[in-house]
Amino acid sequence: MQIPMLLQHCLLLSSLLFSLQQLPTYAAPKHYIVYLGSHHAEPRLLASPETITKSHHDLISSVLRSDSESSSERIIYSYNRYIMALLQHYTKKEANELSKHPSVVSIFESRILESTTTRSADFLGLHYPPSNLEDSIWHKANLGDDIILANIDSGVWPEIQSFSDDENYGPIPKKFKGACENKYDPTFKCNRKLIGARYFYKAMEKNSNLQENCTFNQKLSPRDDTDGHGTHTLSTAGGSIVPFASWGGLANGTAIGMAPKARLVAYKTNWNVQCPTFKTIGSNEIDVMAAFEAAIDDGVDVINYSQASNNSAYLDDGTGIATFHAMKNGILTIAGAGNSGPNAGTAANNYPWVLSVGASTIDRVFSAHVLLGNNQKIKGTRFYDFVSKVDVPSELYPLITGADARISGANVSDASLCQGGSIDVTKVTGKILVCRNAGRIVAKDETLASVVARDAGAVGMIFVYEEKIGDGFTLSQFHAVNTIVLSYKDGETLFSYINSTRTPTASISGVTNTLGVKPSPIMGSFSSRGPNQNNPGILKPDVTAPGVDILAACPPEIFQSSYCMKTGTSMATPHVAGIAALIKKVHPDWSTAAIKSAIMTTASPLDNDGMPIRDSNKTSDATPFAYGSGHVKPNMAMDPGLVYDMNQYDYLNFICAYPPESTTLKEFSQQHSYKCPRSFNILDFNYPSISIVNFTGNAIVTRKLKNVGPPGTYVPRIEPPPGVSIMVEPKTLVFSQKDQIIVFKLILTADINHLSTDYIFGSLVWSDAKHVVRSPIIVKAKNK
């Protein structure tokens, strides 16, 4: 059966989730996303959602012709407004058969996705109440009043004061069409601040049922009862003003989101899955796409997405498809670059229509000291215990490493990391347990080791990160005992002392809180780095923002406090989402690309000492592969002067250039079809940063700048990459009116035989003496 031509154009990023009752013993069950098409541009030709859903059922029935189940039993989600319908499949043969249908654009297996304050606002130049009103984005944006900020994450804990509507909020914006889904949790209440909350679980539930002996046994509610991730990120982006917030006395001050008067909506996609040997927290890609579909239909303005993508081909990636449709509907998605650093090529969410964010420090440091028995003092990072209430081990206690406390028969590596079942309780009781990671940066290692230490009767724990992680900043986590975290170099000092004596002892000092620390920011060692593995012609991440030791709201039932500290690009991302919401309030007519450009071109590559941002080792300079265009500057971003603007067709041209994408991209177009141009040069793609790979010694880059400020004359300042000469045409840009667009070219030349084969960096700045419009330049010579 052929689906009517009209419906082919009306099907949203359609995908269908189905299952077969008769499962061959050789076939492993899998979920697939089947991507069909997009709405027609003209409303009068748009089919009803019910009609579109029926066409999805007809498609499954006609192609697979299975009598074992009805199509309604096979379909988990049938999205029929903007994005998709989703399907579960069991064999490659059936997937291949479905992929041949003329209405199917692509079919790909769904995946599980992982999640990636009192001081950070001040550090970003946002002071409450605003002191200089003309230069304050908080003043100009009225703190983001009535902008609808969405968060796709683990839900929210609504009773926390950050989500209170006590601050005289007006009626809920009329454009909002969402809901507060509390059928199974009547204690969950929305208000005029937290105006909506929904949950998406079906694919995660079915996926857990496909795993042997795994269970999905959770209350169906948008309440954040997994790990507090969504509560933390949502309050960072748009939490209300809460004085006297702290985490057990740490970071005492006023907790305030980046857009504190924004209206908030939580979409829960992260769930716990319990298995006999492990527990996992994550999202199924199918549920995530469902949440994006709902957010678009609900009428949100900005989406925060603090989860990692899979960096697949653009039409084989559910997150890429969903975020594209959000952009097409005027919604900018801000996403985390991931926590897989500092290795190169690890950056996630590399779609050019998404603003991706790395993580760096603020000018506040929490520290404590380990005093060794030989009077040596080692500085580290420290967090108090809120569960066992054990006093700080300020007296000298015996030290023992996990390896030395190994239970008979346990793996040495497991014992070194202090993993469960590897430690002999009789050897640890009354001592400080020393654990070291195995050359990986897994934040939960700290938490799990602290639980083992507590259960073994330890009075405290010292957790050491190995050299592979670098000597930068570790991921702050909740600890079950008093814990101090040491970097590799300091850990070597500790182990040297332990090995020098038969009776090593130590004490742990109380924590100190230092503000105004210089240099700041410094890149987090965990923050994922470029180059972009999807397309090195696009620099990723785009910017960096505060993501280390961020205080924000947390579920009190999990953290014994309504506020806690977390670290990761997940924490950096909502800072930028809140800034984007503020810009949207000041400039409601700006495109998503214009907002993104404003944030990127006003970001700074310098720290608070006026020197280049340092990498996590604190000695070498970071590169744009760590910080993108630089550290965000919200007050400057509201008045960038010029922007690199784009629309969906510019992004379509970009996609067209990269096989195996279709040459006719009707699935991404509001038209009946979109014909790719005969030629497309990535060097002409109007991205705010400039990347040239496979450089042969000559290249011409074309860009267009749009004036969003007063008339003015902009002159260039170029810092070329080493060994490269750059000329700009024209020499000046003279804008006589607002919204005027001027094209310029960069002409790059070099002696390729004497050029480094590694990536080299420079920059271009356009300035009218008030505005600074900066673009990093990245060049990689073609292999000789």
Side-chain angles (χ1 to χ4, degrees):
M1 170 186 162
Q2 180 75 30
I3 293 180
M5 182 62 67
L6 174 60
L7 290 185
Q8 289 188 39
H9 298 307
C10 293
L11 289 173
L12 314 162
L13 309 163
S14 299
S15 320
L16 310 164
L17 188 53
F18 64 93
S19 62
L20 300 180
Q21 194 171 42
Q22 300 296 325
L23 178 63
T25 57
Y26 58 86
K30 294 180 180 180
H31 295 127
Y32 283 88
I33 297 171
V34 181
Y35 182 50
L36 301 179
S38 183
H39 275 304
H40 199 285
E42 299 181 44
R44 65 182 179 84
L45 296 176
L46 184 62
S48 69
E50 294 76 14
T51 304
I52 297 172
T53 296
K54 183 179 183 302
S55 72
H56 294 169
H57 289 270
D58 293 342
L59 172 62
I60 294 299
S61 298
S62 65
V63 174
L64 297 180
R65 301 181 181 88
S66 171
D67 297 328
S68 60
E69 287 184 279
S70 67
S71 60
S72 61
E73 292 176 306
R74 299 169 189 153
I75 294 176
I76 287 182
Y77 290 116
S78 177
Y79 284 92
N80 44 38
R81 296 182 182 277
Y82 300 93
I83 303 182
M84 69 212 80
L86 305 165
L87 69 97
Q88 176 182 335
H89 205 307
Y90 284 119
T91 68
K92 279 189 175 182
K93 180 179 179 181
E94 289 166 328
N96 290 335
E97 182 179 352
L98 190 59
S99 69
K100 298 174 184 177
H101 194 282
S103 295
V104 174
V105 174
S106 62
I107 179 170
F108 52 96
E109 187 178 344
S110 72
R111 294 147 288 204
I112 302 299
L113 308 176
E114 295 182 354
S115 305
T116 51
T117 87
T118 52
R119 182 63 184 176
S120 54
D122 280 330
F123 184 59
L124 292 174
L126 300 175
H127 307 293
Y128 186 82
S131 53
N132 188 335
L133 299 184
E134 286 303 310
D135 294 333
S136 169
I137 192 172
W138 267 358
H139 171 71
K140 291 290 184 68
N142 193 23
L143 302 177
D145 181 37
D146 280 353
I147 293 296
I148 302 175
L149 206 164
N151 193 37
I152 298 176
D153 208 305
S154 63
V156 64
W157 198 271
E159 292 85 2
I160 297 175
Q161 195 173 350
S162 290
F163 309 115
S164 168
D165 62 356
D166 294 340
E167 297 297 320
N168 299 315
Y169 285 90
I172 294 174
K174 292 183 179 180
K175 73 171 188 173
F176 181 65
K177 299 185 295 181
C180 190
E181 297 179 346
N182 60 357
K183 178 179 179 181
Y184 302 106
D185 184 4
T187 64
F188 189 102
K189 304 293 184 183
C190 297
N191 54 37
R192 290 172 298 168
K193 172 67 175 178
L194 180 64
I195 62 175
R198 306 179 68 175
Y199 57 91
F200 302 87
Y201 70 97
K202 293 180 180 179
M204 196 66 171
E205 179 185 45
K206 285 187 174 291
N207 184 77
S208 65
N209 292 338
L210 294 176
Q211 307 297 323
E212 185 176 359
N213 297 323
C214 293
T215 59
F216 181 93
N217 185 21
Q218 292 183 258
K219 179 183 291 187
L220 297 182
S221 165
R223 184 175 295 278
D224 185 4
D225 53 6
T226 54
D227 61 354
H229 195 271
T231 299
H232 197 282
T233 53
L234 186 57
S235 66
T236 300
S240 296
I241 302 166
V242 181
F244 310 115
S246 73
W247 189 23
L250 287 179
N252 187 37
T254 300
I256 185 168
M258 294 295 101
K261 291 193 71 175
R263 310 302 181 103
L264 306 180
V265 189
Y267 297 87
K268 181 175 181 177
T269 60
N270 286 31
W271 302 90
N272 284 325
V273 175
Q274 298 280 353
C275 299
T277 58
F278 67 93
K279 180 178 78 171
T280 183
I281 298 176
S283 299
N284 189 291
E285 192 173 23
I286 294 172
D287 294 327
V288 168
M289 295 174 76
F292 271 97
E293 164 85 2
I296 295 170
D297 194 48
D298 288 348
V300 307
D301 295 306
V302 176
I303 296 175
N304 181 74
Y305 182 67
S306 292
Q307 300 186 59
S309 69
N310 293 286
N311 290 341
S312 304
Y314 295 110
L315 295 186
D316 291 339
D317 188 312
T319 305
I321 292 172
T323 53
F324 187 98
H325 278 257
M327 175 278 300
K328 195 172 72 169
N329 285 274
I331 304 167
L332 177 62
T333 301
I334 294 83
N339 297 331
S340 299
N343 293 335
T346 52
N349 291 311
N350 291 327
Y351 328 106
W353 46 85
V354 165
L355 181 55
S356 64
V357 186
S360 45
T361 67
I362 58 177
D363 63 341
R364 177 184 64 196
V365 171
F366 299 101
S367 61
H369 292 86
V370 175
L371 180 63
L372 303 179
N374 62 0
N375 289 323
Q376 279 186 288
K377 185 183 287 187
I378 304 175
K379 184 179 180 180
T381 301
R382 159 83 160 63
F383 295 98
Y384 280 107
D385 159 39
F386 297 102
V387 177
S388 62
K389 304 299 181 185
V390 176
D391 292 334
V392 178
S394 56
E395 301 177 7
L396 288 174
Y397 285 87
L399 281 174
I400 186 168
T401 66
D404 289 336
R406 179 170 64 100
I407 197 169
S408 178
N411 181 278
V412 175
S413 297
D414 290 345
S416 296
L417 188 54
C418 303
Q419 292 191 349
S422 65
I423 299 298
D424 187 338
V425 174
T426 62
K427 296 179 181 179
V428 174
T429 302
K431 299 178 182 179
I432 297 176
L433 181 62
V434 180
C435 311
R436 65 190 307 172
N437 82 326
R440 60 182 185 176
I441 187 160
V442 180
K444 292 174 185 176
D445 284 348
E446 286 182 42
T447 299
L448 296 176
S450 73
V451 171
V452 171
R454 179 197 62 195
D455 293 346
V459 297
M461 181 180 77
I462 301 173
F463 195 92
V464 180
Y465 278 91
E466 290 199 357
E467 185 174 18
K468 184 177 180 181
I469 304 307
D471 293 321
F473 296 84
T474 60
L475 298 180
S476 59
Q477 292 291 305
F478 180 73
H479 300 101
V481 294
N482 291 281
T483 301
I484 186 166
V485 180
L486 303 182
S487 66
Y488 165 74
K489 290 181 179 178
D490 292 329
E492 288 302 293
T493 301
L494 171 66
F495 286 111
S496 177
Y497 163 69
I498 291 175
N499 294 330
S500 71
T501 176
R502 292 182 178 181
T503 57
T505 59
S507 64
I508 299 176
S509 72
V511 69
T512 59
N513 179 4
T514 305
L515 301 178
V517 173
K518 292 186 176 183
S520 297
I522 295 174
M523 293 306 304
S525 61
F526 57 86
S527 187
S528 294
R529 314 299 167 97
N532 182 342
Q533 293 300 296
N534 291 77
N535 189 322
I538 301 295
L539 173 64
K540 289 289 179 173
D542 292 306
V543 292
T544 188
V548 175
D549 295 343
I550 303 303
L551 185 85
C554 284
E557 288 195 7
I558 299 176
F559 291 88
Q560 287 70 54
S561 172
S562 293
Y563 293 87
C564 68
M565 280 185 289
K566 287 178 175 284
T567 289
T569 55
S570 288
M571 284 65 252
T573 303
H575 283 87
V576 183
I579 294 169
L582 296 172
I583 297 174
K584 181 76 173 179
K585 177 68 176 182
V586 177
H587 303 288
D589 58 335
W590 279 15
S591 67
T592 61
I595 295 173
K596 180 176 176 179
S597 174
I599 293 172
M600 290 176 63
T601 60
T602 57
S604 174
L606 305 180
D607 60 28
N608 57 0
D609 265 337
M611 300 299 291
I613 294 174
R614 299 186 189 185
D615 215 334
S616 56
N617 59 19
K618 307 180 188 178
T619 56
S620 61
D621 293 346
T623 73
F625 286 151
Y627 57 70
S629 293
H631 191 258
V632 291
K633 299 288 184 182
N635 290 324
M636 297 179 65
M638 73 169 171
D639 182 22
L642 309 174
V643 296
Y644 293 91
D645 205 2
M646 287 192 283
N647 57 39
Q648 63 166 308
Y649 301 108
D650 294 303
Y651 294 119
L652 288 170
N653 290 339
F654 169 84
I655 296 173
C656 286
Y658 298 97
E661 316 302 357
S662 170
T663 56
T664 304
L665 297 180
K666 65 187 177 191
E667 67 278 4
F668 273 143
S669 175
Q670 289 180 335
Q671 308 300 323
H672 286 280
S673 62
Y674 182 81
K675 300 293 184 181
C676 289
R678 292 185 176 180
S679 63
F680 174 79
N681 189 343
I682 185 65
L683 299 182
D684 300 334
F685 186 57
N686 208 39
Y687 209 71
S689 57
I690 299 169
S691 298
I692 306 168
V693 294
N694 294 321
F695 180 57
T696 60
N698 294 279
I700 298 177
V701 175
T702 303
R703 289 290 190 272
K704 297 180 291 183
L705 278 167
K706 179 179 180 179
N707 182 35
V708 292
T713 299
Y714 286 78
V715 296
R717 182 174 73 251
I718 299 175
E719 294 183 8
V724 178
S725 297
I726 301 179
M727 293 180 56
V728 59
E729 296 180 355
K731 302 296 184 184
T732 60
L733 303 180
V734 181
F735 293 92
S736 58
Q737 59 186 4
K738 191 175 181 180
D739 295 330
Q740 181 181 354
I741 296 173
I742 297 180
V743 177
F744 72 89
K745 293 184 177 182
L746 295 179
I747 303 171
L748 293 84
T749 57
D751 182 350
I752 194 68
N753 295 315
H754 294 89
L755 200 63
S756 170
T757 57
D758 203 355
Y759 283 94
I760 50 180
F761 307 95
S763 65
L764 165 68
V765 172
W766 289 101
S767 179
D768 65 349
K770 177 185 178 181
H771 303 96
V772 175
V773 186
R774 182 182 178 278
S775 297
I777 299 174
I778 296 90
V779 173
K780 176 72 166 65
K782 186 175 183 179
N783 292 332
K784 301 171 186 177

